[in-house]
Structures are given as structure tokens and as C-alpha cells.
Amino acid sequence: MTDRYQAPAPARPAESVLATNKVIRNTYMLLSMTLLFSAAMAGVSMVLQVPHPGVIITLVGYFGLLFLVSYLRNSIWALPAVFALTGFMGFTLGPIVSAYLALPNGGQIVMQAFGGTAAIFLSLSAYALTSRKDFSFMGGFLFAGIIVAFLAGLAAIFFQMPMLSLAVSVMFVLLMSGLILWETSNIIHGGETNYVMATVTLFVAIFNLFISLLNILGVMNSD
């Protein structure tokens, strides 16, 4: 009895990235929860009228918790660390939002910044997911640009240079938009397999994008 030749089965149609990539599904699920938790913590600090802790405490808390998340990235304690980081960032965001809401047109500024942040994130994420283009080439430029913008931002704060602060905000809008494309592409093409770190990267991009848009819109809507 001769063996019968069996033709290979035809390739299945490409499925949605969100349905086939577990890292992306977990990333967006965790990202949604951290955004809600961060917003809740911002609301708590606004209700309690907590003053902003200042640049030094904010940076120490942020980088300390970021290091903790990175250290625990493959541990079951990574998730509590992520919520500690995003909750802390939300708590420090509350006084900033309160300051803008105290302006005559503050509510409009906050809503415009929120809408702009959502529109940029959703459109860039959708483009990266549907086009599946590889944006890995942007990595070196983005991280070098973030370091330069971060140092310039510190200089603007300590030396009270409003125009430099505005320029830094514009830089951060561009850099964070690029970071969203880069990280989403990184997940799609297997460069990032840890959904905890992917979530943190996207959260930080969204957070800085919102803060930068607040600053830009605040200047544009002021006298």
C-alpha cells in the first residue's frame, strides 16, 4: 500500500494582532486598569487638596518605583509594583490638574488635553497594529531625545524659563508619540515579550503626553 501524498493545508488568513498576540492582549488589559487606577488616585489627591510634593520627591519616587518594577518584572510581585508606580504618578498628577482647573478656562484646557492624548494614542496604536511596520529604527533617536528633553525640562524648572518649558513640552509630544509607535511595534515583532514592561512604557508615554499637552494648551489659552 503506497503512501498517499497529502498537500499542505492552505495558510490560514491573518488574524487580528490583538487576538493572536498574548503580550498585546495582556498589555492593553493591564494598561486600561492602570490608567483607571491612576485617574482614581489623581481624583483622591484633588479631593484631599494635597499639594504637589515637588520635583525632587516626584523624581525619586518615580525612578525608585520604576527600578522596582524592572527588578520584579518576571515575579508575581511585578503587578503590585506596577500599580504602586502608576498610582504614585496619578497622585502627583492631581495637584497639577487642580492648578489648571483653577484657571478661568481650566476645564476646557484639561478636556482638550485629555481628548488630544486619547486621540494621539489611539490613532498611533491603531496604525502600528494594522500596518505592522517595524519602527525599531527609532529606538536610539527616541531615548537620546528623551534624555535631552528631560535635562532641558529640569533646567526650565530650576531656572524658571517658561519658553524653554514650552519647547520641552513640544519635544515631549513628538517623542512620546514616537515612543508609542516604537513600543507597539516592538511588541508586535517580538522585541518586547514582557507585558508588564510594555505596559509601563506605554503608560509613561501617555502620562507625559497628557502633561505636555496641558502645558502647551495652558500657554495657548492664557493672556
Side-chain angles (χ1 to χ4, degrees):
M1 182 177 178
T2 59
D3 294 331
R4 296 178 60 187
Y5 173 76
Q6 185 175 1
R12 295 176 60 186
E15 298 179 1
S16 169
V17 174
L18 290 175
T20 57
N21 194 317
K22 183 178 179 180
V23 177
I24 290 183
R25 292 199 306 269
N26 289 342
T27 296
Y28 280 92
M29 184 182 302
L30 182 58
L31 181 62
S32 300
M33 291 188 291
T34 54
L35 287 171
L36 290 174
F37 181 67
S38 181
M41 293 303 297
V44 169
S45 65
M46 292 170 66
V47 170
L48 297 178
Q49 298 182 348
V50 177
H52 194 274
V55 177
I56 303 299
I57 294 178
T58 299
L59 291 179
V60 170
Y62 168 71
F63 284 110
L65 289 170
L66 187 62
F67 173 80
L68 182 64
V69 172
S70 181
Y71 179 77
L72 299 172
R73 60 191 300 169
N74 295 315
S75 165
I76 60 173
W77 298 105
L79 290 178
V82 169
F83 281 98
L85 170 64
T86 56
F88 173 78
M89 293 175 70
F91 198 78
T92 60
L93 177 64
I96 298 175
V97 175
S98 294
Y100 278 94
L101 290 176
L103 300 175
N105 56 344
Q108 180 182 355
I109 293 173
V110 172
M111 291 308 299
Q112 287 176 343
F114 176 80
T117 301
I120 292 172
F121 174 74
L122 292 175
S123 59
L124 292 177
S125 298
Y127 177 73
L129 289 169
T130 55
S131 69
R132 306 202 69 173
K133 289 185 177 180
D134 187 0
F135 292 98
S136 60
F137 65 92
M138 299 171 60
F141 167 79
L142 285 174
F143 286 100
I146 289 171
I147 292 174
V148 171
F150 174 73
L151 295 176
L154 289 180
I157 292 173
F158 288 112
F159 295 105
Q160 299 183 358
M161 304 169 66
M163 294 308 298
L164 178 58
S165 177
L166 179 61
V168 169
S169 295
V170 173
M171 289 176 62
F172 262 105
V173 168
L174 298 176
L175 290 168
M176 294 303 105
S177 297
L179 186 61
I180 292 169
L181 281 175
W182 177 81
E183 183 63 11
T184 306
S185 171
N186 205 25
I187 300 170
I188 294 171
H189 296 283
E192 179 60 83
T193 58
N194 188 299
Y195 72 92
V196 169
M197 297 308 299
T199 297
V200 169
T201 300
L202 292 176
F203 181 93
V204 169
I206 293 171
F207 183 90
N208 285 316
L209 189 58
F210 177 69
I211 291 291
S212 299
L213 288 177
L214 268 181
N215 193 26
I216 294 171
L217 292 171
V219 172
M220 293 175 59
N221 286 274
S222 70
D223 293 333

